[in-house]
Amino acid sequence: MEKCTVVDDRKEVQVGTGKALLSKIRGEFFCTSHLCPHYKAPLVKGVLSSDGRVMCPWHGACFRVQTGDIEDAPSVDGLVSFDATPEQLKAGKKVPVCKNKKKEHTAVIIGGGAGGLLCAESLRTEGYPGKIVILSREPYLPVDRPKLSKSIKVDASKIALRTQEDLDKLDIEIQLSTTVTDVNTKEKNVTANGKKIKYDHLVVATGGDPRTLPFPGKDLKNIFVMRDVKDANNPKVVIVGSSFIGMEAASILAKIASVTVIGMEKVPFERVLGTRVGQAMQKLNQHNGINLIMEAVTERYEPSDEDPSSVGYVVLKSGTKIPCDFVILGAGVIPKTDFLKSSGIPIDKDQGVSVDEHLQTNIPDVYCIGDIARYPYHLTGEKCRIEHWSVAQNQGRVVAANIVAKLQQKPLQVFKHIPYFWTVQFGKSIRYVGHATSFDETVVQGSTDMDAEGQGLAFVVYYIRKGKVVAVCSLGKDPVVSHCSELMRLDKMPSASELRAGLDILTIPLDCNPSHSSE
């Protein structure tokens, strides 16, 4: 071994023509692949807890260094461990394998997103003894959906999470362009494309439909929502909505078009990230040519002067008319649960579905995950419905484990993963961990001020409720958010007063034995 990059108890080492991550856990050494399989982040720059969990510094994927197994999304693959096959070593990742090909049961998964895919794959790796069927309304295989708002031109095959060959190897059946119209929990079947499919275990992972706005002119051409792969191929837009999807689209479209964003908040991202971060992001967007019209309400769309069938103007309640060639709606999603109305599963007011701590509905053997699932969040006790990419994936894995555990009459897992998400603005990544439906104050460390060249932003923001940190976001301060995620998992986050005094969060060791007590 030669040329070691050393960080605490892990090293990135050169082995022949390749590299590996060498980790030391309680006196034992473990060797794995060195890059996160998600987006190839160097894991040596992430964080390592004393129980052997290494976390990616970019997007929060977690792996067990003792085995290489994935523990937290958004990666769909594990790390290669020292006893890997030559094929795994060449690929630089460990893909799931089918551990049981018995056909004693049938699991039906409604939804072809990442949550449904991870549930299906995890059923296989957990040893589910039966047939697995994914019913997807999309015409393409599961894709890396966050890339839709981060790229201008998107080819579904280029962002597919798995190939058909991959699914065949796992003995997972997927039916594309399939619409489920009814679920009969008494007879244990679903109606899909007019045909009934029997199930023993049902997982609903349908996500949400993009929220459309019922304004006059909504049926004009060239008004799009950011869901389908094809919708990312329309670069000239006015964007209605100043939160994550809308602002990511603005960031990427600014490379080729004049972009206007209409938002109801005072500053972008205000509801989730707060005023201080919102002001910083507003300045960053304006510096890069984005026209932001804030505290504004859209009233209607008007047709183009050249083509009366297409949109030509967005009209605000103030009377302002904004000329446009295209409109993108970034107004969030509505849970896709209309087909459950006669299922006996109660639907919440916002169209979500409440589940228990095991992600099971009121009907035995029926589970909900992802955007539609309202579950008890263990850190605050609140019932939360969280529309995050990695949350859906992690929930899919836990549901799979619980389905198999129930068959084997073993204890069920409680869903206790910490939400982690990210967004990109003009090449700058904001990372966020936790969940704050509200917060009393923020503690800011670093600079939220930008210089004339668009530089200078580097900060950590702690969101405080009743003296306790409930969420953290950062820009240019990796791996702080990943470190905080592990501190939250270990119940070792410091108090608000310690952070106000300037405590460097990275000085708190990720030791599973209690050593740091917060107020």
Side-chain angles (χ1 to χ4, degrees):
M1 295 184 182
E2 51 189 87
K3 293 185 179 178
C4 294
T5 300
V6 184
V7 180
D8 300 329
D9 42 9
R10 60 200 182 281
K11 300 177 181 179
E12 188 178 90
V13 297
Q14 192 81 27
V15 184
T17 59
K19 291 183 179 180
L21 181 72
L22 185 66
S23 303
K24 183 179 180 182
I25 303 296
R26 298 191 176 104
E28 291 188 68
F29 292 91
F30 302 94
C31 192
T32 64
S33 47
H34 69 296
L35 298 178
C36 176
H38 181 224
Y39 286 175
K40 307 301 182 184
L43 292 173
V44 72
K45 295 185 178 180
V47 297
L48 179 66
S49 297
S50 68
D51 58 354
R53 271 172 52 112
V54 64
M55 178 175 271
C56 169
W58 293 354
H59 306 125
C62 284
F63 311 89
R64 182 69 56 181
V65 298
Q66 293 92 329
T67 62
D69 291 343
I70 180 173
E71 295 215 338
D72 269 6
S75 178
V76 297
D77 297 309
L79 301 179
V80 176
S81 59
F82 71 96
D83 57 352
T85 65
E87 292 78 13
Q88 290 173 329
L89 289 171
K90 184 178 180 180
K93 61 185 180 182
K94 182 169 66 176
V95 299
V97 295
C98 181
K99 294 184 178 180
N100 194 332
K101 291 192 176 183
K102 294 181 180 180
K103 301 300 184 198
E104 298 171 359
H105 302 275
T106 298
V108 171
I109 300 168
I110 306 175
L117 174 66
L118 262 290
C119 184
E121 293 190 346
S122 299
L123 282 170
R124 281 289 175 243
T125 59
E126 293 285 344
Y128 181 73
K131 183 179 181 180
I132 300 173
V133 181
I134 299 175
L135 305 177
S136 175
R137 56 177 164 155
E138 315 291 3
Y140 40 78
L141 295 174
V143 296
D144 189 350
R145 195 170 297 279
K147 288 185 176 179
L148 293 184
S149 59
K150 297 177 175 66
S151 302
I152 295 172
K153 294 288 185 181
V154 182
D155 180 341
S157 65
K158 298 294 179 59
I159 60 172
L161 296 171
R162 295 287 187 232
T163 66
Q164 185 61 56
E165 182 182 4
D166 294 331
L167 297 178
D168 291 343
K169 287 180 180 179
L170 288 168
D171 197 19
I172 294 171
E173 178 184 342
I174 185 166
Q175 298 181 20
L176 302 178
S177 302
T178 300
T179 301
V180 174
T181 53
D182 184 63
V183 171
N184 187 327
T185 56
K186 292 181 180 179
E187 300 293 331
K188 300 193 82 167
N189 64 53
V190 304
T191 301
N193 285 4
K195 298 180 181 179
K196 293 189 184 301
I197 301 173
K198 296 285 291 184
Y199 69 83
D200 297 293
H201 304 93
L202 179 65
V203 181
V204 185
T206 43
D209 284 328
R211 190 182 301 275
T212 57
L213 303 175
F215 304 141
K218 64 183 177 62
D219 296 323
L220 291 169
K221 294 178 182 178
N222 294 342
I223 299 175
F224 299 93
V225 292
M226 289 299 294
R227 174 178 173 83
D228 296 329
V229 170
K230 60 183 175 61
D231 291 340
N233 295 326
N234 297 283
K236 294 183 179 180
V237 296
V238 164
I239 298 169
V240 181
S242 58
S243 197
F244 293 93
I245 295 298
M247 296 308 297
E248 285 181 354
S251 174
I252 192 67
L253 291 172
K255 298 175 182 178
I256 60 169
S258 174
V259 179
T260 296
V261 174
I262 302 167
M264 297 177 65
E265 304 169 293
K266 291 182 179 179
V267 291
F269 305 107
E270 183 179 29
R271 184 180 64 82
V272 177
L273 301 182
T275 302
R276 184 99 172 251
V277 176
Q279 289 172 338
M281 292 301 100
Q282 178 164 299
K283 291 177 182 177
L284 178 64
N285 275 266
Q286 290 171 333
H287 176 80
N288 285 278
I290 301 297
N291 178 31
L292 288 163
I293 304 177
M294 305 306 297
E295 297 184 89
V297 177
T298 301
E299 185 174 73
R300 66 183 185 276
Y301 309 116
E302 291 188 354
S304 165
D305 297 331
E306 292 77 21
D307 179 5
S309 68
S310 298
V311 69
Y313 300 92
V314 176
V315 183
L316 307 181
K317 280 196 173 181
S318 64
T320 302
K321 292 179 67 171
I322 306 165
C324 60
D325 298 310
F326 298 90
V327 173
I328 283 182
L329 302 182
V333 301
I334 299 174
K336 177 66 175 174
T337 56
D338 54 308
F339 61 94
L340 294 175
K341 289 181 180 177
S342 61
S343 67
I345 301 171
I347 307 298
D348 298 336
K349 288 183 178 180
D350 66 351
Q351 305 304 305
V353 176
S354 292
V355 295
D356 64 15
E357 67 273 22
H358 309 299
L359 304 173
Q360 186 171 242
T361 68
N362 63 312
I363 306 293
D365 299 320
V366 178
Y367 302 82
C368 288
I369 64 173
D371 292 358
I372 69 174
R374 176 170 281 101
Y375 70 97
Y377 181 43
H378 66 289
L379 290 187
T380 64
E382 299 169 282
K383 293 278 283 186
C384 298
R385 189 175 65 78
I386 300 178
E387 298 169 359
H388 294 173
W389 170 252
S390 59
V391 169
Q393 293 174 275
N394 288 328
Q395 288 177 340
R397 294 176 61 250
V398 168
V399 162
N402 284 340
I403 288 173
V404 175
K406 196 172 180 180
L407 286 172
Q408 298 173 347
Q409 297 184 323
K410 293 181 178 179
L412 304 184
Q413 285 188 31
V414 174
F415 184 70
K416 288 188 174 182
H417 292 254
I418 314 294
Y420 192 123
F421 72 87
W422 67 97
T423 188
V424 178
Q425 291 282 279
F426 298 99
K428 300 182 185 299
S429 292
I430 298 176
R431 316 200 194 283
Y432 181 102
V433 68
H435 183 65
T437 53
S438 64
F439 46 90
D440 307 323
E441 65 168 313
T442 58
V443 176
V444 180
Q445 295 180 352
S447 173
T448 57
D449 294 325
M450 189 181 69
D451 60 28
E453 285 73 41
Q455 303 301 315
L457 293 175
F459 57 79
V460 181
V461 180
Y462 299 93
Y463 299 88
I464 314 296
R465 186 197 299 165
K466 297 180 180 178
K468 182 178 180 179
V469 177
V470 290
V472 183
C473 90
S474 76
L475 186 153
K477 290 288 187 178
D478 294 340
V480 166
V481 165
S482 292
H483 196 86
C484 287
S485 179
E486 286 294 87
L487 289 175
M488 288 179 177
R489 177 179 72 92
L490 300 171
D491 193 24
K492 295 184 65 176
M493 280 298 292
S495 66
S497 60
E498 291 172 293
L499 293 168
R500 289 190 207 100
L503 173 68
D504 180 357
I505 201 80
L506 295 178
T507 62
I508 302 176
L510 298 178
D511 189 347
C512 296
N513 299 315
S515 61
H516 183 93
S517 59
S518 53
E519 292 180 353

